[in-house]
Amino acid sequence: MSVSRSKVRDKGEAKFNKFLKEINRQLSTTKITVGVHEDKGSTSHRDSQGLTVAEIAAIHEYGIRTVVQTKDGGSRVMTIPERSWLRGWVDPNSQKITAFMARRCEERMQAASKGEKPNFLPAFEATGVWAVGQIQQRIAQGIDPENADSTIDAKGSSTPLIDSGQFRQSISSKVVTNDGK
């Protein structure tokens, strides 16, 4: 009788080890990217002079100091200050992001323990969608520093990073897997 128990235990252990390997494979080969991706980022920004949405995103994330032509044919230095819409949310919220992802993974583990095939893609997708919403909300609430008076006059709004909404609507998440499957 102990032989049959041993065989059952071995089969159960092998199945459990296979289950753990699959979980590890999925978690170690999958990542979330959040930002202005190429599909929307390569589009011309409606309110700029030939810049793409990705270029506008980078300018706001890091700031820029450049020389521009004035209407009278001269030039002046223009400074757009850093308004980190991405790092400014990710860095201070890294623990929240980890906790959110852990809860989604726990939900997937519970589903897998009830017989579903292990699938963590929904956890990654939900985390990405949540992060995008949080970043867009942060932009809507305004990111310091305030707009210059000349910018407020030109666009008719004092909220930094929001004019037509194209930039904010271009922020998305993608789940990327590198497992060869």
Side-chain angles (χ1 to χ4, degrees):
M1 199 181 308
S2 65
V3 172
S4 63
R5 281 187 192 164
S6 178
K7 287 181 181 179
V8 169
R9 188 177 322 136
D10 288 345
K11 285 182 181 179
E13 187 176 325
K15 188 176 180 180
F16 183 70
N17 285 337
K18 184 178 176 183
F19 174 77
L20 289 179
K21 276 185 169 180
E22 176 58 18
I23 291 169
N24 184 54
R25 182 193 66 76
Q26 287 185 36
L27 294 178
S28 64
T29 61
T30 308
K31 67 180 180 178
I32 308 164
T33 62
V34 176
V36 177
H37 295 93
E38 185 177 359
D39 58 339
K40 294 180 183 175
S42 61
T43 305
S44 292
H45 191 273
R46 291 188 284 260
D47 299 324
S48 69
Q49 298 171 348
L51 296 175
T52 66
V53 175
E55 290 168 326
I56 294 293
I59 288 169
H60 289 305
E61 181 68 18
Y62 299 103
I64 191 171
R65 185 178 172 108
T66 188
V67 177
V68 295
Q69 298 297 318
T70 60
K71 292 178 183 177
D72 63 6
S75 62
R76 67 175 180 86
V77 174
M78 179 178 76
T79 301
I80 299 175
E82 176 181 307
R83 291 186 178 96
S84 179
W85 54 273
L86 183 59
R87 293 171 299 138
W89 180 79
V90 171
D91 293 348
N93 288 292
S94 62
Q95 289 181 332
K96 279 185 183 178
I97 298 165
T98 300
F100 187 93
M101 180 66 177
R103 285 192 301 275
R104 300 298 81 75
C105 286
E106 186 178 306
E107 291 167 3
R108 299 311 307 152
M109 286 291 292
Q110 288 174 357
S113 72
K114 294 177 183 173
E116 288 185 27
K117 182 180 175 187
N119 180 5
F120 288 88
L121 284 178
F124 284 92
E125 290 166 348
T127 303
V129 168
W130 171 75
V132 168
Q134 294 293 302
I135 292 165
Q136 290 174 331
Q137 181 179 6
R138 181 171 183 269
I139 291 170
Q141 291 171 346
I143 297 174
D144 287 335
E146 294 180 1
N147 282 332
D149 290 339
S150 58
T151 302
I152 294 169
D153 292 343
K155 73 177 198 173
S157 169
S158 62
T159 307
L161 305 184
I162 297 179
D163 193 358
S164 66
Q166 184 183 13
F167 160 63
R168 188 172 59 152
Q169 292 167 3
S170 296
I171 299 168
S172 64
S173 65
K174 291 187 185 241
V175 176
V176 180
T177 57
N178 296 321
D179 64 356
K181 288 191 173 186

